[in-house]
Amino acid sequence: MAGGADDPRGRNVWRREAVSSPCVNICVMHPEARLCTGCLRTGEEIAAWSRLTEEERLAIMAKLPARGPLVSSRRGGRQGRLGRGASRGKPDQGET
């Protein structure tokens, strides 16, 4: 029978350690900063994440809080429309 040292019956075959990740399932790339607005990683970091060591992941995650201001000012979405004076179905104030 194939099994791990912890479980001679093989019930732990698919059990793995959790991978550290800052992902919050809000995967939208900021067009100017080129960072994910959810986790603040670059596209290159996201693509390489599964191949990085735990130490490399932790080093990247330590840098993420400083990236927050790079993506904090978005113009789109509801807040952007409200900030420009538009409301549901009505043109911006500057339009005629």
Side-chain angles (χ1 to χ4, degrees), residues 3 6 8-10 13-14 18-20 22 25 33 35 39 46 50 54 61-62 68 77 82 84 90 94:
D6 299 337
R9 294 186 192 176
V13 172
W14 299 108
V19 174
S20 297
N25 294 325
L35 297 172
C39 68
I46 293 169
S50 65
E54 183 67 9
M61 290 187 342
L82 292 175
R84 291 189 301 267
K90 296 180 182 176

Side-chain angles (χ1 to χ4, degrees), residues 12-49:
N12 288 334
V13 172
W14 299 108
R15 193 171 292 177
R16 295 197 170 94
E17 290 184 35
V19 174
S20 297
S21 175
C23 183
V24 294
N25 294 325
I26 301 174
C27 305
V28 177
M29 295 304 283
H30 189 279
E32 288 89 25
R34 302 187 50 83
L35 297 172
C36 173
T37 60
C39 68
L40 303 176
R41 293 179 290 172
T42 65
E44 294 80 17
E45 289 167 343
I46 293 169
W49 201 256

